[in-house]
Amino acid sequence: MSRQTMGSPARGSAIPGWCGATIAALVREMIPDVIGLPVSPRALWLRSWKYIHDVGGAGVTTHALSALDIAYWDLLAKSLDVSLYDLLGKVRDRVPLYGSGINLNLSADEIVDQVKRWKAKGFIAAKVKVGKPDIEEDVERLKAIQEAVPGFPNSGKE
């Protein structure tokens, strides 16, 4: 990856706000190892994995690797002057999405508000976390969603 290529506005991302400084530090640590190499996402990913895996094979290391992986693919698409989805082999113009969050900590009212926001944004369904110590609390939360947002989630055929 040449310094000129690295200077282009490639994008990579990880979970914002969650150990962001640690992930950013890992990314900064790995970047010098790939400078000067050809833009080949699979080869760069493998090299980066080998570089970082001894720090840990999960958690923040994989989030940092994920951010770089996205950036590698973005750089390749930009270097070929094509969109990333065309480079990867687009098979459809639209993909139905669902809202999802790590929301076990939310009250029934808060989870209802979250699902309403997802629906307002156009999501066709929602995935909510269950696993409260008392299963009845899970049932209450799910019933509250069904009552407050009738017909949601739907079959996805809209």
Side-chain angles (χ1 to χ4, degrees):
M1 199 175 304
S2 70
R3 289 195 184 275
Q4 180 181 17
T5 305
M6 285 298 293
S8 71
R11 300 279 187 249
S13 64
I15 297 175
W18 182 81
C19 296
T22 303
I23 293 168
L26 288 168
V27 168
R28 283 191 303 274
E29 171 73 24
M30 290 188 286
I31 287 174
D33 189 56
V34 296
I35 296 292
L37 299 177
V39 180
S40 174
R42 290 183 180 101
L44 291 170
W45 182 93
L46 183 60
R47 183 177 180 98
S48 296
W49 170 250
K50 288 178 179 178
Y51 184 90
I52 201 70
H53 83 277
D54 283 341
V55 175
V60 293
T61 56
T62 54
H63 288 288
L65 185 58
S66 173
L68 285 175
D69 186 42
I70 293 166
Y72 298 154
W73 284 100
D74 191 41
L75 281 170
L76 180 60
K78 286 179 188 302
S79 73
L80 298 172
D81 197 29
V82 298
S83 66
L84 182 56
Y85 57 85
D86 282 330
L87 176 68
L88 296 175
K90 172 180 73 171
V91 293
R92 58 180 62 104
D93 291 327
R94 296 176 184 262
V95 179
L97 299 176
Y98 65 87
S100 179
I102 301 173
N103 44 31
L104 198 56
N105 61 314
L106 301 180
S107 69
D109 289 339
E110 291 170 322
I111 194 78
V112 164
D113 288 342
Q114 185 179 55
V115 170
K116 284 180 177 179
R117 287 191 306 273
W118 290 335
K119 184 176 182 183
K121 288 181 179 180
F123 293 107
I124 63 157
K127 176 181 165 187
V128 296
K129 184 84 170 148
V130 294
K132 292 281 194 173
D134 179 2
I135 193 168
E136 289 304 316
E137 191 174 352
D138 284 334
V139 171
E140 284 177 30
R141 289 159 43 93
L142 296 174
K143 281 184 179 177
I145 293 167
Q146 289 176 331
E147 290 171 9
V149 193
F152 188 77
N154 65 28
S155 66
K157 293 183 181 178
E158 289 184 359

